[in-house]
Amino acid sequence: MKVGDLVMFMNEEQYARWFYGKLGIVLRTRKNMEGVDYCRVKWLEPVSYHGKYTSVSSFRCDYFEGCENESR
């Protein structure tokens, strides 16, 4: 996963009711102190989360699946 990739949130656990199936573009990636990869994504459409909308989120990279984008 790299900056600019189109990704889909695929984790079916804690955040699924808000983010599952949502598409975003990777803004940056990093490893936390435990060595787990995280990425920051900008959602293609703002996501309703706890009564507010968010256009950017950070989650573990393994919560996402890459999407093919033939037009890029």
Side-chain angles (χ1 to χ4, degrees), residues 1-4 15-16 20 23 29 35 41 43 46-47 54 59 62:
M1 187 173 299
K2 63 186 182 306
V3 172
Y15 300 100
Y20 188 83
L23 296 170
T29 60
V41 299
W43 301 111
V47 178
T54 184
F59 289 105
D62 61 2

Side-chain angles (χ1 to χ4, degrees), residues 5-59:
D5 283 354
L6 177 65
V7 294
M8 181 182 288
F9 190 92
M10 297 302 293
N11 185 282
E12 296 180 0
E13 296 175 8
Q14 183 175 1
Y15 300 100
R17 72 180 189 170
W18 299 286
F19 296 98
Y20 188 83
K22 304 296 186 195
L23 296 170
I25 302 293
V26 177
L27 297 176
R28 70 175 177 227
T29 60
R30 67 172 182 86
K31 283 192 187 294
N32 68 6
M33 293 179 72
E34 291 81 31
V36 178
D37 291 320
Y38 275 77
C39 66
R40 186 157 183 85
V41 299
K42 177 168 180 51
W43 301 111
L44 296 184
E45 295 181 7
V47 178
S48 178
Y49 178 66
H50 289 291
K52 296 181 180 178
Y53 284 90
T54 184
S55 58
V56 178
S57 300
S58 295
F59 289 105

